[in-house]
Amino acid sequence: MNDGLSIGQVSERTGLSVHALRFYEREGILAEPVRRESNGRRVYSEDDVDWLEMCIRFRSSGMPLDTIRRYTDLVRQGPGNESERLALLQSHQQHVEQQLAALTACLDVITHKVEIYEQHLSQGTADCLWTVPVGNPSDDQQAADPRSAVS
């Protein structure tokens, strides 16, 4: 087969399993129908691989299959629906930006905790990191703060 890629080759290139490739085809996720050889074997093009790689990025970013399918359907329809495609992509872009902001906030807390542990370990005062504050109301308030030095 000199003019296309086998399902195994596409699996290797994309990291998708053969099963996942067949699933994507059944679900209408590919922009173009997969060509078949006379013996029924699938033959993929470089364009198919590029499309699959884009869809993998969409999925990795949390885009639902239904949304990918809708985007694929719009692309298949051809010119005239670009504003719909843009709206779909902008909506997902906003979702990803919100995810990034939430993850950045999580990373900030973790980074703060790492700094505290590094500081206490370098100063030889790490034993206070494993104790629970008792009795002093300000200690209780500090323990409730997720950025607290305790623990």
Side-chain angles (χ1 to χ4, degrees), residues 71-91:
Y71 179 76
T72 302
D73 289 343
L74 290 168
V75 169
R76 277 194 211 117
Q77 291 171 20
N81 60 24
E82 292 80 3
S83 60
E84 281 183 77
R85 294 184 218 174
L86 176 60
L88 185 146
L89 292 170
Q90 286 174 325
S91 174

Side-chain angles (χ1 to χ4, degrees), residues 61-125:
S61 68
M63 185 181 280
L65 278 177
D66 286 345
T67 305
I68 297 172
R69 188 179 305 107
R70 176 70 183 135
Y71 179 76
T72 302
D73 289 343
L74 290 168
V75 169
R76 277 194 211 117
Q77 291 171 20
N81 60 24
E82 292 80 3
S83 60
E84 281 183 77
R85 294 184 218 174
L86 176 60
L88 185 146
L89 292 170
Q90 286 174 325
S91 174
H92 188 64
Q93 179 182 31
Q94 183 179 19
H95 172 76
V96 171
E97 288 169 348
Q98 290 168 349
Q99 286 179 306
L100 284 171
L103 283 172
T104 298
C106 293
L107 182 59
D108 289 347
V109 169
I110 293 166
T111 299
H112 180 75
K113 296 301 284 185
V114 165
E115 290 168 355
I116 289 170
Y117 272 79
E118 288 173 343
Q119 176 186 2
H120 281 279
L121 285 168
S122 71
Q123 294 174 352
T125 59

Side-chain angles (χ1 to χ4, degrees), residues 3-139:
D3 64 345
L5 301 163
S6 71
I7 196 168
Q9 291 170 315
V10 173
S11 175
E12 275 185 38
R13 295 240 331 246
T14 63
L16 292 172
S17 69
V18 169
H19 175 76
L21 288 168
R22 289 181 182 133
F23 173 78
Y24 272 34
E25 182 181 356
R26 273 193 319 272
E27 291 296 311
I29 300 300
L30 294 165
E32 299 290 328
V34 176
R35 290 183 305 136
R36 301 282 181 148
E37 290 182 329
S38 58
N39 62 8
R41 288 190 181 161
R42 290 167 175 84
V43 180
Y44 294 86
S45 68
E46 289 295 330
D47 287 342
D48 293 330
V49 173
D50 291 344
W51 184 266
L52 284 164
E53 288 173 344
M54 181 186 62
C55 290
I56 290 166
R57 295 283 186 224
F58 286 165
R59 285 295 295 143
S60 294
S61 68
M63 185 181 280
L65 278 177
D66 286 345
T67 305
I68 297 172
R69 188 179 305 107
R70 176 70 183 135
Y71 179 76
T72 302
D73 289 343
L74 290 168
V75 169
R76 277 194 211 117
Q77 291 171 20
N81 60 24
E82 292 80 3
S83 60
E84 281 183 77
R85 294 184 218 174
L86 176 60
L88 185 146
L89 292 170
Q90 286 174 325
S91 174
H92 188 64
Q93 179 182 31
Q94 183 179 19
H95 172 76
V96 171
E97 288 169 348
Q98 290 168 349
Q99 286 179 306
L100 284 171
L103 283 172
T104 298
C106 293
L107 182 59
D108 289 347
V109 169
I110 293 166
T111 299
H112 180 75
K113 296 301 284 185
V114 165
E115 290 168 355
I116 289 170
Y117 272 79
E118 288 173 343
Q119 176 186 2
H120 281 279
L121 285 168
S122 71
Q123 294 174 352
T125 59
D127 58 335
C128 74
L129 294 172
W130 294 282
T131 61
V132 177
V134 184
N136 184 345
S138 64
D139 288 344

